[in-house]
Amino acid sequence: MSGPVSLRAWARGFSLALLAASLAACSAFEKKEPPPGPCPRALILSDAAAMAQFRDGPGRDLLDVSYSGRVSRVYSDCFYEMKKDKTGLMKARVLIAIDAERGPANRDRTGVYRYFVTLSDSKHEPISKNVFELVAGFPGNAARTTLTDDSVELTVPIQAGQSGRDFTILVGFQLTEDQLDFNRRLRQERESNR
């Protein structure tokens, strides 16, 4: 059964509401530090976006492909640990996806994919490079699979005035000279056929 609200209860409720409103108003006038900045751009290096591993021998036809792959996606995010003097650390995480394919010359139903994650500065000079390896299994009649690895973590010192905008993350396959030449020839053929 509800009865009339006492004046004391009403005053207490009004006081709490007034206190909450004044605290909210105070926080609106506090000087807040802006977020330090965006994450670095994460890009797939075009010449290293695909790879083909051929069986031993001179053949470089489609029938000679043991396995191939394409870096299909790259995801990244970051967070900052900054000091009052606007220096600190940016920690970036990178995750890539590789579309792997078994070729006609593959007999052991596996493929080994070596990829790199490189961090470069605003002048496109590399700061760090790490190379990783993923092994794909193609069981039964499987000819394709998508591979992902644990995320790669990069720690970047940030100077005053810098942000993630001053850095770029590049990913791609760690290719042999022969594989790189093959990719460039394929690209030139595609461009000449346009």
Side-chain angles (χ1 to χ4, degrees), residues 61-135:
D61 190 275
L62 286 178
L63 294 176
D64 299 310
V65 174
S66 178
Y67 55 89
S68 61
R70 174 165 292 283
V71 179
S72 56
R73 290 172 298 286
V74 57
Y75 307 96
S76 69
D77 66 2
C78 67
F79 66 94
Y80 291 81
E81 294 175 355
M82 302 299 285
K83 302 176 201 168
K84 289 184 180 180
D85 66 358
K86 299 190 188 301
T87 65
L89 296 175
M90 177 185 64
K91 296 193 176 183
R93 292 181 305 177
V94 182
L95 181 70
I96 74 166
I98 295 172
D99 293 337
E101 186 169 350
R102 178 177 174 242
N106 188 289
R107 297 289 172 253
D108 63 2
R109 299 188 178 281
T110 62
V112 179
Y113 298 85
R114 297 181 76 224
Y115 70 93
F116 64 83
V117 176
T118 299
L119 178 72
S120 63
D121 63 18
S122 59
K123 296 175 185 170
H124 307 292
E125 294 293 326
I127 297 170
S128 68
K129 179 180 179 181
N130 297 291
V131 179
F132 305 92
E133 187 172 283
L134 283 172
V135 177

Side-chain angles (χ1 to χ4, degrees), residues 149-164:
D149 205 352
D150 295 333
S151 62
V152 177
E153 297 191 8
L154 306 170
T155 301
V156 185
I158 298 289
Q159 303 303 317
Q162 280 187 319
S163 73

